[in-house]
Amino acid sequence: MKHASDRLGIYEDMLECSRAMRESAQQQEWDTLIQQRARYVDDVEALQRMPQDGRLNAQERQYCARMIEEILEHDRAIRAQLDARCEELTQLMGSSRRQQALVRAYNQGQGTLSQRTRPSRGSEGRT
């Protein structure tokens, strides 16, 4: 029975972590989200290593199912926030590329313009 209570404890930790990750995503605290994700992955790996001999009773299975549903709900919300952030970053990168291209074009035009407006060596001093 010890393994069953350990398993439930891990699911409870995962649920707590998924709540914190959702909050971090909503607050756009990306570094914090990454740190929390590492803890979440540790919990998932611990769950995978756990022996399967500890059976859950009906009440524990229901409790576990509710936790999993809430974890999945948090995951969907986190993914929506991450998708929005990816779109925002994509737009910023596109804008940055366009700006860099304009600067390069402007600088190339400046070089051409300065060469045309610079007096030639033979014409300096002639008037």
Side-chain angles (χ1 to χ4, degrees):
M1 201 60 171
K2 172 92 170 99
H3 293 296
S5 64
D6 289 345
R7 181 174 289 119
L8 288 175
I10 292 173
Y11 277 114
E12 288 168 346
D13 288 346
M14 290 172 63
L15 177 57
E16 178 186 326
C17 192
S18 72
R19 286 178 182 148
M21 289 168 43
R22 182 177 185 171
E23 180 68 26
S24 293
Q26 289 170 337
Q27 299 299 320
Q28 297 186 0
E29 296 172 349
W30 307 116
D31 291 337
T32 303
L33 176 65
I34 290 168
Q35 292 168 355
Q36 293 162 332
R37 178 72 176 165
R39 182 179 138 214
Y40 183 85
V41 168
D42 288 343
D43 285 339
V44 169
E45 290 172 352
L47 191 61
Q48 291 172 339
R49 287 189 304 267
M50 183 164 282
Q52 298 298 317
D53 59 350
R55 301 268 184 228
L56 301 175
N57 64 37
Q59 184 179 1
E60 291 169 329
R61 281 193 305 272
Q62 280 185 322
Y63 178 55
C64 190
R66 285 193 307 271
M67 285 190 289
I68 292 170
E69 287 174 9
E70 190 173 340
I71 289 168
L72 292 173
E73 180 183 320
H74 294 308
D75 184 62
R76 282 188 292 274
I78 293 165
R79 286 179 190 272
Q81 290 288 327
L82 289 173
D83 287 345
R85 180 64 175 159
C86 281
E87 180 61 31
E88 179 183 344
L89 291 173
T90 299
Q91 290 175 1
L92 286 172
M93 287 172 48
S95 176
S96 177
R97 285 186 185 125
R98 285 188 296 277
Q99 187 176 15
Q100 288 174 349
L102 286 171
V103 167
R104 277 193 302 275
Y106 177 77
N107 288 337
Q108 287 173 350
Q110 283 290 92
T112 305
L113 181 60
S114 65
Q115 289 171 355
R116 282 187 276 164
T117 59
R118 205 179 296 151
S120 64
R121 290 184 182 230
S123 65
E124 292 177 7
R126 289 187 208 159
T127 354

